[in-house]
């Protein structure tokens, strides 16, 4: 690492900062150190919420560069937010306001996107900028799939981001992203970085040698160590099938799945994770189910989890109001993915940010200009959903997209053939085109709610977004809100991973109403029902971390220099405000 001699830098605070940034520019290249509101906007603003000023955004191009940058930032006592795709829904990879006690730098890792299949593709090593979308492509020649196949990959999310947030994904039998095999750096209380190699690969002893060899894949099969630690959650199928358990199958603060990098939420600097992959299924069938009675879906869930030999691949729920909002306000995202693929989305987000920044400087009266432009462009394009999918979404209050594979297809078909009758409801088997478009419609839903807020900001106060995991024995899963809470809302948008009992609930609050009060009332109701939240988006700056999770963060980051404040915890050096609060 090129040393910084602080003794020869003038002692004014801004000049010291400039000196550090100057050295970092020599490491990563001048064009990869972004300074100024316009250039840093898309990195320091959350996908759904959150944002704040930063000293700089730094984009290292290798693991060694990332290590050297982190060393200099630690020596300068900067707060570091390690960020990859910035697609999180709770603002956990950006600052939140400006009330921090130290300068903030964002270290964006998307340039470091290496993916190394090992053990004939049965496992994979992913570097910080590797995305789920690209991992899917890398594994196709091996006829394998990653932990998460659909959902977050449609947003360009990173692999390591999923692990650090214990993200659940849509797949019924795989559970949250999890590994005990990782290479990471921990910031000790005295501000020194310590590299820890728990990757199960012999790479040497010197930190820069380890990182250099890993970056260039200078290792072979003989360097893979015998290691019994898990590279995925081995027990989730058992958990999700236990339909009479009074706790949820998965949620972010589950102590069983907090281990070093897994669940760390930016409290460690992660250079690589090692993960299991899974056999790809050639034969797939989507059963599109509709009903007006939520009890019909409850009974189906319990029956299939308890009795069917083969679990569905996914079981995705959409309420009719969410279906309608997504038809109108998710159309542009749907068409971009349909025409260009998910890998174009980061470029689209960057373009939107540049448009908003440029037009913002012109002081236009219209808010969110890029959203308005995109909405106007797609408004008059032909319908994008197949007719049968559209008709079912309009006809029924509750729809379930039940995806099956292999021998499970016939088993599911037998269950559904005689299931409805007097119960009320219906289903159809999708063609391949219907399957692809129905699932894509489901996964643009979250972004559609954000678009609705942007377009209707005159009547919308904000979105209260909650992702909750209900106990596995819950039967009355569809909520009824008190009239005073219901009256404060324009829309209640429900969708989620139904067999896992994980629901995403977006409440669009009427202008002039108190969002904090609305959230408090809803959370109190969920507490009474035994719900755990957040379920898979992690706490970010939206939720308060429960004691066990807060203690986990303090153990990982005793200096409180890596992503401080998440979980509404202390933002101060060495957790000082937490220590005062505890006295």
């Amino acid at each position: 690492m090129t040393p910084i001699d602080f003794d020869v830098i003038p002692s004014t605070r801004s000049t010291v900062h400039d000196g550090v940034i100057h050295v970092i520019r020599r490491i990563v290249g001048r064009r990869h150190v972004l300074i100024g509101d316009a250039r840093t906007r898309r990195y320091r603003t959350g996908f759904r919420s959150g944002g704040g000023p930063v000293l700089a955004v730094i984009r290292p191009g290798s693991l060694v560069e990332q290590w050297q940058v982190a060393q200099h930032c630690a020596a300068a006592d900067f707060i570091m937010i390690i960020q990859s795709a910035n697609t999180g829904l709770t603002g956990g990879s950006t600052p939140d306001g400006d009330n921090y006690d130290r300068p903030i730098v964002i270290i964006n890792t998307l340039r470091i996107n290496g993916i190394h299949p090992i053990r004939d593709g049965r496992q994979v090593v992913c570097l910080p900028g590797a995305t789920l979308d690209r991992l899917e492509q890398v594994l196709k020649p091996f006829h394998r799939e990653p932990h998460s196949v659909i959902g977050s990959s449609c947003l360009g999310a990173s692999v390591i981001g999923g692990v650090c947030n214990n993200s659940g994904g849509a797949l019924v039998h795989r559970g949250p992203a999890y590994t005990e095999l990782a290479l990471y750096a921990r910031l000790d209380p005295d501000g020194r970085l310590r590299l820890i190699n728990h990757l199960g690969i012999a790479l040497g002893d010197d930190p820069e040698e380890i990182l250099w060899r890993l970056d260039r894949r200078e290792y072979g099969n003989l360097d893979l160590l015998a290691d019994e630690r898990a590279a995925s959650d081995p027990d989730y199928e058992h958990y999700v099938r236990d339909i009479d358990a009074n706790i949820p199958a998965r949620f972010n603060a589950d102590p069983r799945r907090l281990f070093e990098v897994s669940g760390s939420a930016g409290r460690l600097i992660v250079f690589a994770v090692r993960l299991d992959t899974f056999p790809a299924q050639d034969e797939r069938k989507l059963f599109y189910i509709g009903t007006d009675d939520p009890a019909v879906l409850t009974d189906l869930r319990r029956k299939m989890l308890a009795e069917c030999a083969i679990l569905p691949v996914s079981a995705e729920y959409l309420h009719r109001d969410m279906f309608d909002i997504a038809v109108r306000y998710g159309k542009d995202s749907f068409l971009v993915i349909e025409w260009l693929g998910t890998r174009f989305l980061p470029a689209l987000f960057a373009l939107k940010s540049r448009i908003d920044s440029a037009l913002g400087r012109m002081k236009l009266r219209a808010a969110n200009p890029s959203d308005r432009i995109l909405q106007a462009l797609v408004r008059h394009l032909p319908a994008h959903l197949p007719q049968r999918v559209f008709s079912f979404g309009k006809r029924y209050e509750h729809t379930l997209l039940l995806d099956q594979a292999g021998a499970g297809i016939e088993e599911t078909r037998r269950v559904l053939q005689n299931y409805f009758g007097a119960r009320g409801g219906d289903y159809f088997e999708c063609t391949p085109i219907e399957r692809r478009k129905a699932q894509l419609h489901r996964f643009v839903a979250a972004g559609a709610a954000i678009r609705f807020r942007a377009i209707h900001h005159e009547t919308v106060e904000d979105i209260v977004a909650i992702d909750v995991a209900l106990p596995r024995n819950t039967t009355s899963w569809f909520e009824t809100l008190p009239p005073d809470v219901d009256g404060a809302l324009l829309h209640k948008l429900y969708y989620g991973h139904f067999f896992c009992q994980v629901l995403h609930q977006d409440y669009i609050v009427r202008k002039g109403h108190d969002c904090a009060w609305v959230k408090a009332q809803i959370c109190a109701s969920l507490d009474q029902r035994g719900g755990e939240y957040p379920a898979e988006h992690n706490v970010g700056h939206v939720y308060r971390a429960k004691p066990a999770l807060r203690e986990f963060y303090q153990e990982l980051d005793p200096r409180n220099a890596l992503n401080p404040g998440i979980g509404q915890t202390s933002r101060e050096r060495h957790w000082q405000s937490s220590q005062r609060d505890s006295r």
Side-chain angles (χ1 to χ4, degrees), residues 320-335 371-372 374-385 390 394 441 444-445 447-449 451-452 455-456 491:
R320 181 162 52 204
D321 290 349
M322 183 75 261
F323 183 94
D324 290 342
I325 291 286
V327 166
R328 182 170 179 182
Y329 297 95
K331 188 174 182 178
D332 64 312
S333 296
F334 183 104
L335 293 175
D371 289 289
R372 294 177 179 276
L374 287 169
Q375 194 65 25
L377 288 174
V378 301
R379 183 180 303 162
H380 302 295
L381 293 177
H384 57 291
L385 289 182
F390 183 80
K394 288 289 190 179
H441 179 69
V444 299
R451 170 62 53 76
F452 183 93
I455 299 298
H456 299 284
H491 292 287

Side-chain angles (χ1 to χ4, degrees), residues 285-312:
K285 177 66 70 174
L286 182 70
F287 299 88
Y288 206 100
I289 299 166
T291 182
D292 290 326
D293 184 358
V296 170
L297 298 186
T298 300
D299 293 343
L300 180 63
R301 170 186 168 270
R302 292 179 63 85
K303 178 179 179 65
M304 293 191 68
L305 288 177
E307 300 176 13
C308 288
I310 302 174
L311 287 179

Side-chain angles (χ1 to χ4, degrees), residues 275-477:
L275 298 165
D276 289 331
T277 67
F278 303 86
Q281 298 281 355
D282 288 326
E283 187 181 10
R284 298 285 282 270
K285 177 66 70 174
L286 182 70
F287 299 88
Y288 206 100
I289 299 166
T291 182
D292 290 326
D293 184 358
V296 170
L297 298 186
T298 300
D299 293 343
L300 180 63
R301 170 186 168 270
R302 292 179 63 85
K303 178 179 179 65
M304 293 191 68
L305 288 177
E307 300 176 13
C308 288
I310 302 174
L311 287 179
V313 175
S314 63
E316 292 299 290
Y317 168 75
L318 270 178
H319 185 265
R320 181 162 52 204
D321 290 349
M322 183 75 261
F323 183 94
D324 290 342
I325 291 286
V327 166
R328 182 170 179 182
Y329 297 95
K331 188 174 182 178
D332 64 312
S333 296
F334 183 104
L335 293 175
V336 167
I337 297 169
E338 175 85 350
W339 294 341
L340 301 174
T342 58
R343 70 191 71 184
F344 184 75
L345 285 177
L348 177 63
F349 294 152
L351 177 61
K352 276 173 48 56
S353 179
R354 285 196 292 270
I355 290 173
D356 287 338
S357 180
L359 295 181
R361 290 195 295 271
M362 297 170 62
K363 294 183 168 45
L364 295 182
R365 295 185 63 184
N368 308 301
S370 65
D371 289 289
R372 294 177 179 276
I373 292 169
L374 287 169
Q375 194 65 25
L377 288 174
V378 301
R379 183 180 303 162
H380 302 295
L381 293 177
H384 57 291
L385 289 182
Q387 184 58 45
R388 286 202 297 178
V389 172
F390 183 80
S391 297
F392 252 59
K394 288 289 190 179
R395 177 182 173 189
Y396 291 108
E397 185 176 1
H398 310 282
T399 53
L400 183 67
L401 287 66
L402 196 60
D403 196 22
Q404 255 299 10
I409 294 174
E410 186 55 38
E411 184 179 36
T412 300
R413 185 178 286 133
R414 287 196 302 269
V415 170
L416 294 179
Q417 280 174 345
N418 302 309
Y419 181 74
F420 292 99
R423 286 187 175 95
D426 202 357
Y427 79 99
F428 68 90
E429 296 186 20
C430 291
T431 66
I433 291 177
E434 287 173 331
R435 173 180 176 268
R436 175 171 52 81
K437 292 193 173 188
Q439 291 183 321
L440 181 52
H441 179 69
R442 157 63 184 90
F443 290 108
V444 299
I450 299 169
R451 170 62 53 76
F452 183 93
R453 176 183 63 183
I455 299 298
H456 299 284
H457 68 96
E458 301 93 344
T459 58
V460 174
E461 185 67 28
D462 205 347
I463 297 174
V464 171
I466 297 175
D467 61 300
V468 60
L470 297 175
R472 284 161 281 175
N473 62 358
T474 299
T475 54
S476 300
W477 55 273

